[in-house]
Amino acid sequence: MQTLTEKEKMLSGEYYFPSNKVLQQDRAKAKAVCQQFNLAPESAKKSALKALQGLFAASPNSWIEPTFYCDYGYNIHMGRNFYANHNVVILDAAPVTFGDDVMLAPGVLISTASHPLDAKRRNKGLETAKPITIGNSVWIGMGAKILDGVTIGDNAVIAAGALVNKDVPANTVVAGVPAVVIRQIENEDTISV
């Protein structure tokens, strides 16, 4: 029976050690690219954004404002027309998949990583990660936090400051800590241009 590497354990949702040398190197690479992007002068912004997009699995027509941070980058999958405003953090130990036309307001935090409730495992430095999936045409408001294992349905709106710790149905607005559905989005809420 073949033993999984720590990276394979991380990607399969098992307990893993983030202190593993390979994972540390992967994070260091991503952090260096993020730092280069975040510190780039306005005149070099487009080339710095291209370097940042090189970390991601796909990023057609994406636009990201500095500052931006991620753990690995290679677990971030962006649909068309992705937009992230200032101070977005994506902790991508597991896949984070965005549909098309997703907008993130300033200060959004998305984290696939979690620590065990069991103190012995936690004190050993173990971690787990669960994927996050965000549908098409989702708007995530300022300062919202999206936790591991969550799926957000198409056209959903996450209110500013919300803490999303469970799945969000399509065509709803959620708000609060923890976030709950506060209303359905009806067709008449959509403005045709």
Side-chain angles (χ1 to χ4, degrees), residues 56-74:
F56 309 140
S59 58
N61 302 321
S62 64
W63 189 263
I64 299 169
E65 302 287 351
T67 59
F68 174 86
Y69 298 97
C70 65
D71 273 344
Y72 300 97
Y74 52 69

Side-chain angles (χ1 to χ4, degrees), residues 111-126:
S111 179
T112 64
S114 186
H115 300 279
L117 294 177
D118 176 64
K120 288 180 184 175
R121 286 185 177 176
R122 189 172 59 246
N123 293 341
K124 286 182 180 180
L126 286 167

Side-chain angles (χ1 to χ4, degrees), residues 37 47 51 81 98 115 121 123 166 193:
F37 170 73
S47 63
N81 304 318
F98 296 96
H115 300 279
R121 286 185 177 176
N123 293 341
K166 62 183 177 184
V193 191

Side-chain angles (χ1 to χ4, degrees), residues 34-140:
C34 288
Q35 182 179 26
Q36 175 190 3
F37 170 73
N38 292 332
L39 297 176
E42 195 62 33
S43 61
K45 189 173 183 178
K46 284 187 180 178
S47 63
L49 179 60
K50 257 193 187 326
L52 182 68
Q53 291 169 331
L55 285 176
F56 309 140
S59 58
N61 302 321
S62 64
W63 189 263
I64 299 169
E65 302 287 351
T67 59
F68 174 86
Y69 298 97
C70 65
D71 273 344
Y72 300 97
Y74 52 69
N75 285 325
I76 300 172
H77 308 268
M78 297 172 182
R80 288 177 287 122
N81 304 318
F82 174 85
Y83 176 75
N85 212 320
H86 299 284
N87 302 319
V88 167
V89 176
I90 302 175
L91 304 180
D92 62 313
V96 178
T97 305
F98 296 96
D100 296 338
D101 303 304
V102 172
M103 297 188 308
L104 308 181
V108 168
L109 170 62
I110 298 171
S111 179
T112 64
S114 186
H115 300 279
L117 294 177
D118 176 64
K120 288 180 184 175
R121 286 185 177 176
R122 189 172 59 246
N123 293 341
K124 286 182 180 180
L126 286 167
E127 216 174 75
T128 59
K130 295 178 189 166
I132 294 172
T133 303
I134 297 170
N136 295 317
S137 301
V138 171
W139 174 24
I140 301 178

Side-chain angles (χ1 to χ4, degrees), residues 167-189:
D167 291 353
V168 173
N171 302 305
T172 59
V173 178
V174 299
V177 178
V180 295
V181 174
I182 60 170
R183 70 176 278 208
Q184 292 290 126
I185 299 172
E186 304 298 332
N187 288 337
E188 61 269 11
D189 291 332

